[in-house]
């Protein structure tokens, strides 16, 4: 399943990450914490990566990780039976395949046999996202095998942590194949039906080199926030933040996020409530999602991360291993154009987003977001 794809000098890791949105009541001062009403706001789970991580040390990201062969093993077939099985495991028809730029080489001939296992990618990637969320945050998104998903899915709940979970978590962190054994032990399956396709990001080329990921982002709505237990190795902290709170934490230098997370946080600002967000996911499921690779434009005093639709974005495979640069300053470049889909990176904690293009496939893009100059 995982396999490492090669394009030019880059090796690509296939990964999955989970945007967990939990319903959040607004208890007044001293008021008892009430269960959130459907039209209440939501908070997002952000995990802080350890400063020892090889990739994005210290960054706040959504739970996630590299897809492992175990996530696609056909041993899962007996666990999903009898309610679910090939070809779609109850996920509904496959989203339309969007042949978007860039095309990465298919998994090479060295992909081991078990990597081409019986599960379709969109099942295996959901299992990976749920496994990684368990490994990194101790949140268990499983569904009892006896209760197939409801016809009209509502936001779910994480499984209350059963006894002995810490020992199981250590086992799964050592060997991803133990995640299936944990599910069998609990007579559950990963709640793949609660995960909705949201976006796919490919790591842009940068002169620093380093790891590159082809990462599928899923979105999952929960009625209320489950307790979170960072593993304290890969992940050293966690927070539930609204899109606005996460933006303010970033601008005030309390947290650092890479452009994809900042973009997704701002995109989620479009939704006023958990029910709006959940309804959007259900209405949108057949449209498929855009898969894109930002192209970096280095300016004299910063960087601009260009996205498809931007007038400077070129769908040219040369940019798999190249970037753009100019002697001009960022402000000059910004004055020249008008068809924007870009994240402007002024400094480590000062990003702005400019969107003037229409979103594709009935998805939403973030609104233009420019911080006031006092932060510059
Ligand atoms: C400007 C950047 C633009 C882009 O990258 S766009 C593509 C998507 N990228 C992003 O979203 C940026 C943020 N990155 C991420 O969210 C994550 O890095 C991403 C892409 C989901 C991949 O997840 P990761 O957590 O990095 O991968 P992972 O969980 O498989 O491994 C992380 C490192 O932890 C290690 N690890 C995993 N399980 C462990 C265990 N049980 N005990 C100790 N160490 C463990 C694992 O070996 C890995 O270390 P290493 O990276 O191999 O050195
Ligand atoms: Mg991880």
């Amino acid at each position: 399943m995982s396999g490492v794809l090669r394009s030019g000098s880059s090796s690509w890791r296939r990964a999955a990450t989970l945007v967990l949105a939990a319903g959040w009541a607004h208890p007044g001062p001293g008021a008892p914490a009430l269960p959130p009403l459907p039209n209440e706001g939501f908070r997002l789970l952000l995990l802080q990566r350890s400063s020892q991580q090889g990739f994005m040390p210290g960054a706040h990201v959504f739970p996630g990780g590299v897809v492992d062969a175990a996530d696609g093993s056909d041993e899962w077939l007996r666990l999903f039976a009898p309610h679910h099985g090939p070809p779609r495991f109850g996920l509904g028809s496959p989203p339309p395949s969007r042949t978007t730029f860039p095309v990465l080489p298919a998994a090479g001939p060295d992909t081991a046999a078990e990597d081409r296992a019986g599960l379709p990618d969109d099942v295996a990637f959901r299992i990976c996202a749920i496994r990684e969320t368990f490994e990194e945050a101790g949140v268990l998104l499983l569904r009892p095998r006896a209760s197939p998903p409801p016809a009209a899915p509502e936001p779910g709940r994480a499984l209350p942590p059963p006894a002995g979970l810490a020992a199981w978590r250590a086992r799964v962190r050592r060997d991803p194949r133990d995640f299936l054994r944990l599910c069998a032990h609990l007579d559950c399956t990963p709640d793949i039906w609660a995960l909705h396709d949201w976006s796919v990001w490919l790591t842009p080329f940068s002169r620093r080199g380093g790891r590159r990921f082809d990462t599928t982002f899923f979105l999952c709505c929960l009625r209320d926030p489950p307790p979170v237990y960072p593993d304290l190795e890969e992940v050293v902290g966690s927070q539930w933040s609204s899109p606005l709170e996460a933006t303010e934490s970033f601008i005030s230098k309390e947290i650092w996020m890479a452009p994809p997370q900042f973009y997704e946080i701002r995109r989620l600002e479009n939704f006023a409530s958990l029910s709006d967000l959940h309804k959007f996911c259900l209405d949108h499921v057949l449209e498929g999602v855009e898969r894109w690779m930002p192209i970096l434009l280095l300016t004299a005093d910063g960087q601009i991360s260009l996205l498809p639709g931007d007038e400077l974005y070129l769908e040219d495979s040369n940019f798999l291993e190249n970037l753009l640069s100019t002697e001009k300053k960022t402000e000059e470049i910004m004055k020249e154009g008008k068809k924007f889909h870009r994240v402007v990176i002024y400094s480590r904690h000062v990003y702005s987003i400019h969107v003037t293009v229409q979103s594709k496939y009935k998805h939403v893009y973030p609104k233009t977001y420019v911080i006031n100059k006092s932060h510059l």
Side-chain angles (χ1 to χ4, degrees):
M1 263 318 296
S2 50
V4 169
L5 319 176
R6 299 201 67 80
S7 75
S9 61
S10 296
S11 65
W12 290 89
R13 298 181 187 196
R14 301 167 81 201
T17 190
L18 181 54
V19 182
L20 216 40
W24 203 274
H26 300 277
L34 301 171
L37 301 171
N39 63 348
E40 291 283 5
F42 57 89
R43 293 295 187 278
L44 302 163
L45 177 58
L46 288 170
L47 302 178
Q48 181 171 21
R49 296 168 65 83
S50 117
S51 55
Q52 311 306 312
Q53 285 267 32
F55 184 73
M56 301 222 152
H60 275 72
V61 295
F62 306 114
V66 172
V67 178
D68 188 277
D71 300 324
S73 158
D74 46 17
E75 281 190 58
W76 285 101
L77 292 167
R78 63 184 168 78
L79 216 54
F80 278 99
H83 295 294
H84 298 292
R88 299 292 309 140
F89 294 81
L91 282 180
S93 46
S97 71
R98 306 284 183 204
T99 45
T100 48
F101 165 82
V103 178
L104 290 182
D110 59 346
T111 306
E114 76 271 7
D115 286 355
R116 290 189 295 278
L119 297 194
D121 270 4
D122 53 0
V123 173
F125 275 62
R126 284 175 166 77
I127 292 174
C128 168
I130 292 170
R131 172 180 56 76
E132 283 286 345
T133 301
F134 172 54
E135 286 191 27
E136 294 178 357
V139 172
L140 214 38
L141 298 172
L142 304 185
R143 171 176 287 277
R145 288 181 64 224
S147 69
E154 285 299 314
R157 277 212 168 90
L159 199 78
L165 196 65
W168 270 108
R169 190 172 163 194
R171 282 179 58 178
V172 174
R173 287 175 53 71
R174 273 195 305 279
D175 181 351
R177 288 172 301 183
D178 274 334
F179 187 51
L180 184 149
R181 295 182 185 111
L182 169 60
C183 292
H185 168 69
L186 297 174
D187 199 31
C188 286
T189 64
D191 194 354
I192 60 172
W193 308 280
L195 270 57
H196 308 287
D197 285 303
W198 185 256
S199 57
V200 182
W201 287 80
L202 276 69
T203 309
F205 175 80
S206 85
R207 290 188 179 137
R208 282 195 313 276
R211 290 185 188 85
R212 299 183 76 177
F213 293 91
D214 174 353
T215 304
T216 298
F217 284 57
F218 294 108
L219 189 125
C220 173
C221 293
L222 296 176
R223 254 175 283 174
D224 39 41
V228 177
Y229 309 97
D231 67 61
L232 303 181
E233 280 181 41
E234 257 195 273
V235 167
V236 294
S238 67
Q239 62 189 60
W240 288 99
S241 302
S242 69
L244 182 61
E245 288 163 344
T247 305
E248 288 168 349
S249 293
F250 173 73
I251 297 284
S252 62
K253 302 186 173 57
E254 284 163 32
I255 67 172
W256 184 77
M257 292 186 282
Q261 279 69 29
F262 185 76
Y263 182 97
E264 294 299 358
I265 289 282
R266 298 306 312 157
R267 175 158 38 194
L268 285 157
E269 179 76 35
N270 283 304
F271 298 91
S273 70
L274 187 78
S275 55
D276 284 356
L277 178 56
H278 191 245
K279 183 174 178 323
F280 174 84
C281 289
L282 298 181
D283 294 348
H284 177 261
V285 69
L286 294 178
E287 302 300 332
V289 293
E290 281 187 272
R291 168 180 176 278
W292 58 41
M293 179 188 76
I295 294 176
L296 291 183
L297 165 59
L298 304 184
T299 67
D301 55 354
Q303 289 188 29
I304 300 177
S305 179
L306 301 166
L307 293 169
D310 191 288
E311 61 188 59
L312 296 180
Y313 190 90
L314 303 167
E315 295 208 357
D316 170 346
S317 54
N318 173 42
F319 288 107
L320 266 174
E321 306 294 336
N322 265 302
L323 42 68
L324 290 163
S325 63
T326 172
E327 268 77 56
K328 292 180 181 173
K329 290 192 167 185
T330 296
E331 281 318 303
E332 291 173 76
I333 295 287
M334 294 308 289
K335 285 197 186 88
E336 280 168 6
K338 50 182 180 304
K339 208 172 154 239
F340 293 155
H341 190 197
R342 52 181 72 168
V343 181
V344 181
I345 301 158
Y346 290 97
S347 65
R348 185 162 162 76
H349 284 272
V350 182
Y351 297 164
S352 65
I353 293 184
H354 297 257
V355 183
T356 59
V357 297
Q358 279 304 313
S359 59
K360 289 167 88 174
Y361 316 132
K362 297 183 188 163
H363 210 312
V364 291
Y365 288 165
K367 292 187 179 56
T368 289
Y369 172 82
V370 181
I371 67 164
N372 62 53
K373 298 291 178 197
S374 66
H375 283 101
L376 290 184

